[in-house]
Structures are given as C-alpha cells and as structure tokens.
Amino acid sequence: MTSPSPPPPSPPSSAGEEAEAAHINRLPDELLLLIFTKLNNASSLCVCNLVSKRFSAVVHQTPSIFLAFPHRQSNDRNENLPKKLFNYLSKSFFRKPPPNKFDGALFQSAVDSLKHFRNVRDIRIELPSFQQDDSIVKWHAEFGRDLNLCVILFATSLHHNNQTNTSIHHQNQSQNQNQNPDTLLTNQLLQSRIASANQCFREATWRQHVLRHVVENHRETLDAAEIRDSSKKGQVVMKGKEQLRDLLDPDVKLPASGYGKLWHVQMLRLPESGRVLQGVTVVAIRRSGENEEEHEDVGVKHLMMKKGCENEMEEDFLLWEVLSHIFQNHAPSRTLNINVNRR
Amino acid sequence: MSKKTLTLMSKDKQLFNIEEHLAVQSVTIRNMVKEDGASSVIPLPRVDSETLALVIEYLNRQQAPEEDEDYVKKFVDERGEIPTLLELAQAALDLDIKKLMDAACMKVADLIKDFTLEEVREALRIENDRTPEEEKAIRDEFQWAF
C-alpha cells in the first residue's frame, strides 16, 4: 500500500499531484466517519486521531468503539508504572488488581482516552483472560438494581455427539488423554470449582468497576457497554440507559453478602446443539440484600428470560442451553454461603 | 416489453446507458425518476468515468439475493486500491447506494487498520498539520495505542 495508483500516461504535472493530494481532503466527513465506524478498533482510531486536525475532529464522532487491551505485546514496562492509578479504578472493596502481567496503569490510560469520543454509544472492551482454571467453559455476569448475579459453567470435557475424535475437546492440558475424565464431584473438585467460581465473581465485580468508570465519562451518549475476555469465556454486559443509570446511581449499593448454589451433573447430553458435556458444574452466585428471599435458582431463570427477550442467546448459546437443561431436570447439589468481600 | 433505459453522464462528459429498473437501486436516481420521469441524461458532476463504469458494473450485477453480500464484498476486494475505493465510496454516497458505500468504506478500514501513523498519512495522502509538540502531547496521552 505504499505506491500510489499508476499515474496518467502524461508526465505527472504539479496540478495532477495537487489533485491527488486533495483526494481525501475533499472526502466528505460523512464518508470519513463511516470509515472510522467500520474501523471500530480503538487503537487504530487513536492512530487516525494523530493523522491531522480534521481527522481528529471526525474520529471523535465515532459512535461505536472496540478496545482490545493490550493491543500489542506491550513490553515488560509494567514494573515501573505506578499502581496508584490502577487502584483508583478499583478503589472500593476490590483492592487488588487481577494477577498476571496486566498493566493496570496503561489500561487505565486506554480507558481514559475513550473520553475523547464524545458521541460514542457503544463500547466493547476485550481483556486477556485472568482465569487459570481450564475447566471453565463460560461465565456471564449481570449487575443492576434487581439482578446481581454471576453464572459460571464448568466441564471436565466437552465434545460433539456424532464426532468423536474431531470433537471440540476442551483444552485441558493437565488431563491425561488415556484416562477417563473424572466426572464425579469429589471434595477436591468441589473445592477447586468453588474457588474458581469465586474468582470469576470477583473478576466480574472488578469489570463492573471498570465499566462504571467508562460510563461516567459518557453518561449522555452511551447505550451499551461490555467487557469480555479474549478467550470469549466470560462477559459482563451493561445494556440500555436504565441499567447504565443504575450503575452510576450512588443509592444502588451492591449488597455485601450473597449466596450461591451449585449444580453438578456427571454427564449432560444437549439435544439442540448435539453436544455432550462431562463433569458439568454450574455455579450461580447472587448478591442479595437483607430482605431478599433466597431464590431456588438464584435468579438464573429471571436472567435467562431477560436475555431471551433481548435476543442475545446466540452469543452464549451453550451456556443458556446447559442452564435450561439443568434447571428443568436437576436440583442444586449444594448451597453456598458467600461473603463477597472476602478474598 | 422493451426495458426502459437511462443515460448517466460522468464528470468528463462520458455517457453510460443502464436499464432503469437496475439504475433505481440508487436512491438518488430513483427520486429523479419519480419526480420527472428522468427522460433526459442524468449528469453526475462529481463522478469520473472510470468510477462510473465501476458503479454501472455493480448496478448491473445479476446475483441471487442470498449471494449478493458475498458478491459485493468480492467486488470491492478486487478493487483493493485505496484511491479507487474512495472514489467508489464518494460516488455511492452521491448516488445513495448504501450497500456499495458500506462495502467500500469497510474495505478501506480493513486496509488501514494495521497501518502505522506514517502509513495512514501516506496511503490517504494527508499532510501533518500539527507541530511536533502538539503531536507529542497527543502521543503521550494515547501512549497505550502506539
């Protein structure tokens, strides 16, 4: 893309060059904005922002932004950067940033740079996955005035019914191929899955803090905001003005206590997608206020109804399919008491 | 029944014939036809003949509806040069052919998405109009993206 289009047969005159140079300058803002809208990616938009003053003005009108972080292999510069900035993002009960080489300060500056996009209606953020547990298949968290819950799906193995070897076998490196996967809910498995579920829940809460920060900067324009991880396993979605308003409302406090339930099924055959899951555990964790009565299903059915209405099932189809199957046919095996503040 | 034909005239005064039922994929032409029957030549003062030839080729496509999306994508893919795509997008904007405009802009976005700053400036032929200090200030603020 470095060479310009072939010049006309006559030797290039200066007038011709001027016409070429004027090319994008006469491109209407409308088209430039359409190109930026298609570009979508925050880091590319930041590059365009630097191109020229006119580009800046148009870039900042982009209505929809996708921020993948870190966007390139950021070097090991995180050691030197102050963690202070990051803590500002997570100032309340969740104090410790997620593990790994996550550069909180740089992420903060990336999130902050979004505030220049004055007309943005839709922000999607993608982060590396912080979960170490390979048996996590999907998780989904939802926060709001009436619903505060996180659902996590685990499976020891996952494959298609009719394809044995070309199955979408779950990437479980620690698992010996020749051994039958242990699908029984042993005490050890129970403990490790509860611990991972709690980790997911804390990560969901941290993401919610990040989203609050994002929404604060765009309260007039934003319709939807979400954070997912690059492995596409977990997502936190905030959609609709009402939910976004709740997120900022200081009166809507997150209850400090909660409860959870755990379902375990050794083998689950899903008729619709033709998938077979083994060693399936579903954990649902709900924050609840003092006066709230416990739900048999922790409110997952409410969540599913809501998602069904919004026609969002496709994204997490497997999760919803498992949930509807489990809730129809199985009772919870454990009830968990959760102190959501404890690490 | 013979099909009605329209004549479009490019910026450089070249004439192109196209059947009316195909031409009205352009909302601009559709409105003209509705208003006065558009019996005479329709001038397109901002579209050069090369670009108009491409637009005509696009409008003349005979694709089944379910294959149309792939066709449009392929159509712009084959004209992968940024200046051509921008001309095409501009013509599609003037003629109000949304699908073509979307596809051309999408292709431009695809092409520039991994470009460095200098590559974007070169590809789109934009002169930097900021001082080095101004540029540095922005670079610092958006450090994460570079």
Side-chain angles (χ1 to χ4, degrees), chain A residues 121-190:
Chain A
R121 294 199 297 270
D122 169 25
I123 293 179
R124 288 173 302 132
I125 297 176
E126 191 180 282
L127 295 171
S129 178
F130 298 128
Q131 302 303 326
Q132 310 289 321
D133 188 341
D134 284 331
S135 67
I136 297 172
V137 179
K138 280 271 178 195
W139 61 273
H140 183 101
E142 193 89 4
F143 297 100
R145 195 181 285 273
D146 58 338
L147 206 57
N148 276 298
L149 69 93
C150 182
V151 193
I152 305 106
L153 166 65
F154 298 86
T156 310
S157 81
L158 158 69
H159 56 91
H160 262 283
N161 207 1
N162 42 3
Q163 308 158 293
T164 41
N165 275 338
T166 55
S167 64
I168 317 168
H169 192 84
H170 196 67
Q171 304 285 315
N172 196 341
Q173 290 121 350
S174 61
Q175 192 182 304
N176 191 331
Q177 293 270 325
N178 303 322
Q179 230 177 353
N180 269 342
D182 193 359
T183 58
L184 278 172
L185 188 62
T186 58
N187 201 33
Q188 194 189 3
L189 191 66
L190 176 71

Side-chain angles (χ1 to χ4, degrees), chain A residues 17-288:
Chain A
E17 272 170 18
E18 263 168 43
E20 287 268 309
H23 207 99
I24 197 140
N25 286 330
R26 69 175 173 80
L27 202 68
D29 285 359
E30 195 182 343
L31 278 186
L32 206 47
L33 182 58
L34 185 56
I35 293 170
F36 294 149
T37 305
K38 305 278 181 194
L39 200 55
N40 195 245
N41 190 327
S43 63
S44 307
L45 289 173
C46 287
V47 171
C48 289
N49 177 42
L50 206 48
V51 166
S52 75
K53 287 176 182 167
R54 181 183 167 220
F55 265 46
S56 274
V58 181
V59 160
H60 291 155
Q61 304 300 314
T62 311
S64 155
I65 295 177
F66 173 65
L67 168 65
F69 186 89
H71 98 285
R72 271 171 209 154
Q73 220 44 51
S74 19
N75 312 321
D76 289 325
R77 42 181 169 170
N78 38 337
E79 266 86 11
N80 305 327
L81 285 162
K83 284 278 187 279
K84 234 170 34 188
L85 276 170
F86 176 79
N87 290 338
Y88 154 69
L89 257 188
S90 48
K91 56 191 162 191
S92 64
F93 57 86
F94 183 51
R95 286 177 200 286
K96 285 193 188 161
N100 307 349
K101 288 186 170 180
F102 186 75
D103 186 339
L106 201 62
F107 177 59
Q108 159 103 47
S109 84
V111 167
D112 275 346
S113 68
L114 295 179
K115 71 174 183 284
H116 292 278
F117 297 84
R118 295 249 163 264
N119 285 328
V120 69
R121 294 199 297 270
D122 169 25
I123 293 179
R124 288 173 302 132
I125 297 176
E126 191 180 282
L127 295 171
S129 178
F130 298 128
Q131 302 303 326
Q132 310 289 321
D133 188 341
D134 284 331
S135 67
I136 297 172
V137 179
K138 280 271 178 195
W139 61 273
H140 183 101
E142 193 89 4
F143 297 100
R145 195 181 285 273
D146 58 338
L147 206 57
N148 276 298
L149 69 93
C150 182
V151 193
I152 305 106
L153 166 65
F154 298 86
T156 310
S157 81
L158 158 69
H159 56 91
H160 262 283
N161 207 1
N162 42 3
Q163 308 158 293
T164 41
N165 275 338
T166 55
S167 64
I168 317 168
H169 192 84
H170 196 67
Q171 304 285 315
N172 196 341
Q173 290 121 350
S174 61
Q175 192 182 304
N176 191 331
Q177 293 270 325
N178 303 322
Q179 230 177 353
N180 269 342
D182 193 359
T183 58
L184 278 172
L185 188 62
T186 58
N187 201 33
Q188 194 189 3
L189 191 66
L190 176 71
Q191 293 310 322
S192 97
R193 288 195 171 168
I194 289 175
S196 297
N198 269 319
Q199 231 172 44
C200 278
F201 188 73
R202 282 199 302 269
E203 188 174 335
T205 306
W206 174 74
R207 289 185 190 187
Q208 192 204 11
H209 280 280
V210 176
L211 283 182
R212 178 179 292 157
H213 185 73
V214 169
V215 174
E216 264 173 2
N217 285 332
H218 300 278
R219 43 177 92 219
E220 300 305 322
T221 58
L222 209 61
D223 289 329
E226 71 165 65
I227 300 188
R228 62 174 63 220
D229 51 61
S230 47
S231 67
K232 308 273 190 286
K233 282 183 180 177
Q235 59 173 342
V236 179
V237 185
M238 293 283 169
K239 213 164 195 171
K241 293 267 185 226
E242 198 185 325
Q243 209 182 6
L244 294 173
R245 225 180 7 250
D246 281 359
L247 188 65
L248 296 180
D249 188 345
D251 294 336
V252 179
K253 288 223 169 64
L254 284 180
S257 64
Y259 62 97
K261 296 224 163 128
L262 180 145
W263 290 256
H264 186 84
V265 184
Q266 276 183 267
M267 181 178 328
L268 195 60
R269 290 180 191 279
L270 298 171
E272 282 174 60
S273 64
R275 286 189 168 158
V276 181
L277 289 82
Q278 291 189 309
V280 186
T281 307
V282 169
V283 182
I285 301 175
R286 181 186 181 99
R287 288 177 185 282
S288 62

Side-chain angles (χ1 to χ4, degrees), chain B residues 16-35:
Chain B
F16 293 83
N17 292 328
I18 180 167
E19 286 171 21
E20 185 184 291
H21 74 282
L22 295 171
V24 294
Q25 293 174 77
S26 148
V27 178
T28 311
I29 295 179
R30 191 188 310 157
N31 290 339
M32 284 171 147
V33 169
K34 253 189 231 158
E35 268 167 33

Side-chain angles (χ1 to χ4, degrees), chain B residues 9-136:
Chain B
M9 186 171 72
S10 67
K11 176 167 75 178
D12 43 344
K13 311 276 187 261
Q14 287 204 42
L15 299 178
F16 293 83
N17 292 328
I18 180 167
E19 286 171 21
E20 185 184 291
H21 74 282
L22 295 171
V24 294
Q25 293 174 77
S26 148
V27 178
T28 311
I29 295 179
R30 191 188 310 157
N31 290 339
M32 284 171 147
V33 169
K34 253 189 231 158
E35 268 167 33
D36 60 359
S39 51
S40 55
V41 172
I42 298 174
L44 300 169
R46 292 209 292 184
V47 185
D48 64 36
S49 55
E50 269 172 54
T51 309
L52 188 53
L54 283 179
V55 173
I56 299 277
E57 185 188 334
Y58 170 83
L59 292 174
N60 275 324
R61 74 197 187 284
Q62 304 283 337
Q63 237 56 42
E66 63 272 17
E67 287 165 11
D68 202 49
E69 205 133 304
D70 287 341
Y71 174 86
V72 179
K73 198 172 173 298
K74 195 159 159 264
F75 182 84
V76 293
D77 270 352
E78 282 166 5
R79 279 116 197 133
E81 294 287 322
I82 287 178
T84 313
L85 289 166
L86 292 177
E87 290 288 349
L88 206 53
Q90 170 86 62
L93 176 69
D94 287 352
L95 287 165
D96 201 345
I97 311 172
K98 190 170 183 306
K99 230 185 209 180
L100 182 60
M101 180 171 78
D102 275 348
C105 289
M106 184 77 225
K107 181 69 189 171
V108 174
D110 264 358
L111 288 169
I112 65 173
K113 73 171 189 291
D114 294 322
F115 279 14
T116 63
L117 174 60
E118 285 67 31
E119 286 167 339
V120 175
R121 282 196 184 128
E122 193 176 334
L124 302 180
R125 305 203 186 105
I126 310 290
E127 297 249 348
N128 180 16
D129 56 359
R130 288 195 178 92
T131 64
E133 292 77 31
E134 285 172 329
E135 192 173 313
K136 185 176 179 303

